[in-house]
Amino acid sequence: MTADSVLAEDRTSSDFDDDFEPFDMENAPELVAERYLDRELSWLAFNQRVLELAEDPRIPVLERANFLAIFASNLDEFFMVRVAGLKRRILTGLAVPTNVGRAPHDVLNDISRKAKELQDRHARAYQELVRPAMAEAGIRVVEWSDLGDREVQHLHDYFSRQIFPVLMPLAVDPAHPFPYISGLSLNLSVRVRNSRTGRQEFARVKVPQMLHRFVRVDPDESIEDARYIALEDLIANHLGDLFPGMEIVEHHVFRVTRNEDVEIEEDETENLLQALEKELLRRRFGPPIRLEITDDMDDVTLGLLSRELDVPEQGIFRLSGPLDLSGLFDLARLDRPELHYPTHVPATARQLMPSEPNLKADIFAAVSKKDVLVHHPYESFATSVQAFIEQAAADPDVLAIKQTLYRTSGDSPIVEALIDAAEAGKQVLALVEIKARFDEQANITWARKLEKAGVHVVYGLVGLKTHCKLALVIRQEKSGLRHYSHIGTGNYNPKTSRTYEDLGLLTADDQVGKDLTRLFNELSGYAIEKKFKRLLVAPLHLRKGLLKLIAGEVRNAEEGRPAGIRIKVNSMVDEAIIDALYRASNAGVPVDIWVRGICSLRPGIPGLSENIRVRSILGRYLEHSRIFSFLNDGDPQVYIGSADMMHRNLDRRVEALVRLVDPDHLAEIDGLFDLAMDDTTSSWWLDGDGVWTRHSVDEAGNPLVDMQAQLMKQVGQRSRSTRSGQRR
């Protein structure tokens, strides 16, 4: 049975149950723990892999600093969302078991213990590895005590001119209650003694977030040999200017992480934008989840902070290094090319290359001849997806453009193109997902700007996030109206397209166009469409379709026909999908899972998953594409799209996968998996106990293949070969 016929069936829930027997978590919690890995601990293991890159001396030092900053930023978000969610469930009494059948309270203890271990390791990596390596390269982060008289005088002057005017010291006394501490802000706790009364008082000084975290000690120093001082260190050594006439008794740095997850009851409001804006204001005042302090903080100050902020001991993180190492993003952007990865200029996809060097390619002409599969950032987003939307906006034969926007950049040429199209009189529909976490305010701004330009802006279906990455262009041609479509795995964001690895299909296939037309009608109106031909769409069809495809591989293996499953995702958590893969393994189907982040599947367990391998690749680019490949008795069924294997993606989001049909594209996907799963490729391997082991060198100590560097090389050679052929 083909994937098309599977999707054309109007299948009932009982049909679904025939394909897959759900595992009874409630009645056998001890077996649940044996079948799955804890998702929260698996996420922490992912962030540990990021940290291992920062610890790797073979990686350029400013890239290592960048990985330290990424680790810190990742962990902040983990606490703001995942830990906050666990605490909320505990406090509200909705403490349902986690995916491994454990009480949230027990998991919270494990998370706190592991997170503290990782934050300590993170601090050591900075102090003992990355900071000394930066110093050897001429980027020295110094303390105030390291400075000479001339540098001290210069920084005194700089502080007076540039920093002192924006500082706002807040006293705490009977007339001044304890101030609100905003989430993720860096703060100085200051205890002062009144010289007249001898009484001690407490004050808080917020380190301004709009200023650079690291200040050049001497701007006349060469960038190849420069010193920097942390902003909080500079402020701490000028507290006398902030509290004249007072004796500075103690000062320490601290930082609070708050619950910043947004919850909206959409069916209780008529205006989603207004409801979300109110919720974003409330987010700023979410309860504290974590209190980070420096290891030299005295007990009196800690007692005051923990009492006023109502943070239990479990949520207090005492660290030896500087707090908030996401500030290293500043240093990681220094213009020292030799301390970064070599510059990579994305190539233009072969089919989209212009016929002459100084001309623009005709995207419609190229796509009308053959489907185009683009692989970012190895291939350019600007000359493919962005050019597709911009050409559609400018083309007088284009009648309509429909597009989803989940996240985009602040100066997005995609959004500007949609505005230009609307102003030119074209029908333009933009489905803006304003509930995209931590991008809500930016998306509200874009939505209103688009509306003012005459774009039809909709916000998707109530209760569902629209996460799919879709663009549809309707063009008048001699033969009639023609559909041009883009279905991708990543956001329409030109900036992240240079650092996120993603795939996208550009196609003029009429069936895909009709599928997208029906899907957009469902998202913008009231149509309920149950059938798609080349798409798998969540929440109605995606899980069923994938389970059917997995079941097909089981049948093929049992009947002695070729079978195999290869899946690449960011996260593998959904129990129904995992159990189906276990069944495939038991039937003898070889299963390869290529996952960037969370993986709750336990590979290599006899009688459960001995035919499943799980690998992870992290590096210069963030692996972001999602691929689902089924051997299907020699007639491969391969999909790419936006969905991870998580409950939220399969049940609470609108996701879309598109089936690839071009033999060249199928071969390209197969080649990606061959390279990723090869033992000679540098990667992390997951074992059945949840331990990830890095394989980066061979037995002789030689580096294994860097997959991302290899792909850059291959695509670059292919591009040069094509250009050379055109010149001839």
Side-chain angles (χ1 to χ4, degrees):
M1 184 178 289
T2 67
D4 283 352
S5 60
V6 169
L7 297 178
E9 292 178 356
D10 185 11
R11 304 179 66 235
T12 66
S13 59
S14 60
D15 290 329
F16 169 76
D17 292 340
D18 288 341
D19 286 337
F20 165 70
E21 295 179 14
F23 190 71
D24 190 348
M25 293 178 61
E26 188 172 335
N27 295 325
E30 71 285 351
L31 294 181
V32 171
E34 293 176 3
R35 294 173 78 85
Y36 313 118
L37 298 170
D38 183 272
R39 62 159 290 165
E40 316 301 350
L41 294 178
S42 182
W43 187 93
L44 289 172
F46 153 67
N47 215 27
Q48 178 175 316
R49 299 198 292 282
V50 175
L51 181 54
E52 288 175 19
L53 292 173
E55 296 168 336
D56 189 342
R58 295 166 297 182
I59 293 176
V61 67
L62 288 184
E63 303 295 346
R64 296 170 67 189
N66 194 56
F67 284 124
L68 286 177
I70 291 171
F71 173 97
S73 179
N74 284 349
L75 198 61
D76 286 344
E77 184 170 337
F78 177 73
F79 272 89
M80 287 189 291
V81 178
R82 298 302 308 173
V83 175
L86 282 171
K87 288 195 170 187
R88 186 169 60 244
R89 279 166 24 197
I90 293 169
L91 290 173
T92 58
L94 302 175
V96 296
T98 65
N99 70 309
V100 293
R102 300 185 66 211
H105 188 274
D106 295 331
V107 174
L108 191 59
N109 289 334
D110 290 343
I111 288 173
S112 297
R113 182 170 59 253
K114 184 62 177 177
K116 286 179 179 179
E117 290 176 7
L118 286 177
Q119 283 205 262
D120 286 340
R121 179 173 169 180
H122 183 234
R124 291 195 304 274
Y126 170 69
Q127 294 284 31
E128 300 173 12
L129 301 175
V130 176
R131 184 177 176 182
M134 287 196 302
E136 288 182 16
I139 302 169
R140 291 172 287 159
V141 179
V142 299
E143 315 291 341
W144 184 261
S145 57
D146 299 327
L147 303 177
D149 292 342
R150 188 177 67 85
E151 292 92 349
V152 166
Q153 185 57 52
H154 165 72
L155 289 175
H156 275 317
D157 295 341
Y158 178 83
F159 177 85
S160 299
R161 294 192 319 271
Q162 300 294 330
I163 300 175
F164 180 80
V166 300
L167 295 179
M168 298 179 184
L170 298 177
V172 177
D173 57 31
H176 302 87
F178 192 85
Y180 173 77
I181 309 297
S182 53
L184 302 187
S185 64
L186 204 60
N187 302 272
L188 287 169
S189 65
V190 186
R191 291 217 328 273
V192 297
R193 181 180 290 112
N194 189 308
S195 57
R196 290 175 299 181
T197 65
R199 181 176 175 178
Q200 286 194 22
E201 307 286 1
F202 177 84
R204 170 259 194 157
V205 179
K206 181 178 179 178
V207 178
Q209 292 173 294
M210 76 290 298
L211 300 180
H212 288 297
R213 177 68 183 282
F214 293 95
V215 178
R216 281 281 290 272
V217 169
D218 186 347
D220 294 331
E221 291 177 336
S222 164
I223 191 172
E224 283 77 23
D225 188 17
R227 291 169 296 169
Y228 299 83
I229 187 168
L231 182 57
E232 65 269 26
D233 193 6
L234 181 56
I235 294 172
N237 282 279
H238 289 84
L239 291 175
D241 295 353
L242 293 170
F243 303 99
M246 309 289 280
E247 176 191 353
I248 309 300
V249 179
E250 294 273 359
H251 68 269
H252 305 283
V253 181
F254 72 97
R255 185 171 181 260
V256 173
T257 309
R258 293 183 177 275
N259 175 359
E260 297 204 11
D261 202 10
V262 168
E263 292 184 69
I264 303 174
E265 295 296 331
E266 295 177 60
D267 53 355
E268 294 180 3
T269 178
E270 294 181 0
N271 192 320
L272 183 57
L273 260 70
Q274 292 180 0
L276 185 56
E277 287 180 315
K278 290 178 182 178
E279 186 62 31
L280 290 176
L281 288 174
R282 284 197 293 272
R283 169 192 274 179
R284 296 174 49 208
F285 300 96
I289 300 299
R290 176 180 59 162
L291 171 62
E292 296 171 275
I293 62 173
T294 51
D295 58 2
D296 61 350
M297 180 174 284
D298 62 284
D299 291 340
V300 173
T301 302
L302 176 56
L304 174 67
L305 291 176
S306 59
R307 182 173 63 254
E308 293 289 346
L309 294 169
D310 192 23
V311 178
E313 186 173 348
Q314 182 190 59
I316 298 173
F317 288 69
R318 189 183 289 268
L319 301 171
S320 59
L323 304 187
D324 187 19
L325 285 177
S326 66
L328 287 172
F329 281 129
D330 265 2
L331 294 181
R333 286 190 284 264
L334 286 174
D335 186 17
R336 295 284 304 276
E338 74 281 12
L339 304 181
H340 290 281
Y341 287 123
T343 300
H344 169 240
V345 178
T348 296
R350 281 183 294 182
Q351 290 171 251
L352 302 180
M353 285 184 178
S355 56
E356 298 292 336
N358 296 326
L359 296 178
K360 283 188 175 182
D362 185 336
I363 304 294
F364 296 134
V367 174
S368 66
K369 295 176 183 176
K370 190 177 190 288
D371 285 1
V372 178
L373 183 68
V374 286
H375 195 185
H376 314 301
Y378 311 109
E379 294 175 313
S380 171
F381 180 89
T383 59
S384 57
V385 181
Q386 181 179 322
F388 170 60
I389 302 299
E390 289 176 336
Q391 184 176 335
D395 189 335
D397 294 328
V398 168
L399 305 180
I401 304 172
K402 304 178 183 183
Q403 185 166 7
T404 61
L405 292 173
Y406 190 74
R407 301 184 198 274
T408 189
S409 59
D411 54 352
S412 173
I414 298 285
V415 173
E416 294 301 329
L418 295 178
I419 290 172
D420 291 344
E423 291 177 344
K426 303 181 193 301
Q427 288 282 95
V428 182
L429 173 74
L431 197 152
V432 180
E433 182 47 78
I434 58 172
K435 301 186 298 297
R437 181 177 285 148
F438 301 125
D439 274 347
E440 298 95 343
Q441 190 59 58
N443 285 5
I444 288 172
T445 301
W446 277 123
R448 289 189 166 140
K449 185 174 182 180
L450 288 164
E451 285 177 329
K452 288 179 181 178
V455 174
H456 301 288
V457 179
V458 295
Y459 306 110
L461 304 176
V462 171
L464 298 174
K465 280 188 181 181
T466 304
H467 189 247
C468 46
K469 325 298 183 183
L470 312 172
L472 175 64
V473 172
I474 310 298
R475 190 170 188 259
Q476 180 69 60
E477 299 185 357
K478 290 181 180 179
S479 58
L481 293 183
R482 192 163 191 188
H483 304 84
Y484 291 88
S485 309
H486 174 265
I487 301 96
T489 68
N491 298 310
Y492 291 103
N493 189 323
K495 290 185 177 178
T496 59
S497 72
R498 294 193 286 268
T499 55
Y500 281 33
E501 178 274 338
D502 274 302
L503 291 163
L505 179 71
L506 287 162
T507 180
D509 180 80
D510 189 56
Q511 192 57 66
V512 174
K514 289 178 179 177
D515 280 353
L516 288 190
T517 298
R518 290 195 293 268
L519 181 52
F520 272 110
N521 286 344
E522 182 176 347
L523 294 173
S524 64
Y526 293 106
I528 299 176
E529 180 56 55
K530 292 188 176 180
K531 297 177 182 178
F532 298 97
K533 295 298 184 182
R534 270 185 69 181
L535 299 184
L536 284 174
V537 178
L540 293 180
H541 313 293
L542 182 49
R543 186 198 298 277
K544 292 180 181 180
L546 290 177
L547 289 173
K548 189 74 174 180
L549 289 163
I550 295 170
E553 297 305 308
V554 171
R555 284 194 300 272
N556 286 336
E558 290 173 343
E559 295 170 9
R561 295 197 295 267
I565 299 171
R566 289 175 145 182
I567 295 176
K568 178 180 188 288
V569 286
N570 295 309
S571 300
M572 173 66 71
V573 174
D574 187 81
E575 291 86 4
I577 298 295
I578 290 174
D579 275 4
L581 294 173
Y582 287 158
R583 291 183 64 182
S585 174
N586 284 332
V589 180
V591 179
D592 287 339
I593 306 296
W594 175 5
V595 62
R596 184 186 88 228
I598 305 169
C599 184
S600 294
L601 181 150
R602 300 182 65 196
I605 303 295
L608 181 70
S609 58
E610 62 262 48
N611 290 311
I612 302 179
R613 298 185 298 172
V614 179
R615 303 283 166 86
S616 181
I617 293 174
L618 278 71
R620 173 176 186 159
Y621 301 126
L622 184 143
E623 294 287 333
H624 193 250
S625 63
R626 292 88 164 184
I627 310 172
F628 304 84
S629 176
F630 304 89
L631 191 54
N632 192 42
D633 191 21
D635 178 23
Q637 302 289 298
V638 179
Y639 291 80
I640 65 168
S642 57
D644 282 308
M645 295 298 95
M646 303 179 73
H647 307 138
R648 70 185 187 194
N649 300 91
L650 296 171
D651 301 327
R652 302 190 299 277
R653 288 186 174 185
V654 180
E655 306 277 11
L657 307 182
V658 64
R659 182 161 55 88
L660 303 181
V661 296
D662 188 288
D664 291 340
H665 298 165
L666 301 182
E668 182 176 344
I669 295 299
D670 228 23
L672 290 176
F673 276 105
D674 288 344
L675 182 56
M677 305 305 293
D678 196 293
D679 289 355
T680 64
T681 296
S682 179
S683 62
W684 281 262
W685 301 10
L686 178 65
D687 68 19
D689 294 324
V691 176
W692 291 89
T693 302
R694 190 180 185 192
H695 293 254
S696 59
V697 295
D698 61 19
E699 293 181 357
N702 301 309
L704 296 179
V705 174
D706 181 328
M707 179 175 183
Q708 295 181 348
Q710 181 81 354
L711 289 174
M712 276 189 283
K713 182 179 178 181
Q714 289 177 359
V715 173
Q717 289 174 340
R718 190 169 66 201
S719 174
R720 288 190 294 272
S721 174
T722 302
R723 289 189 184 280
S724 176
Q726 287 177 339
R727 285 194 295 271
R728 288 197 295 271

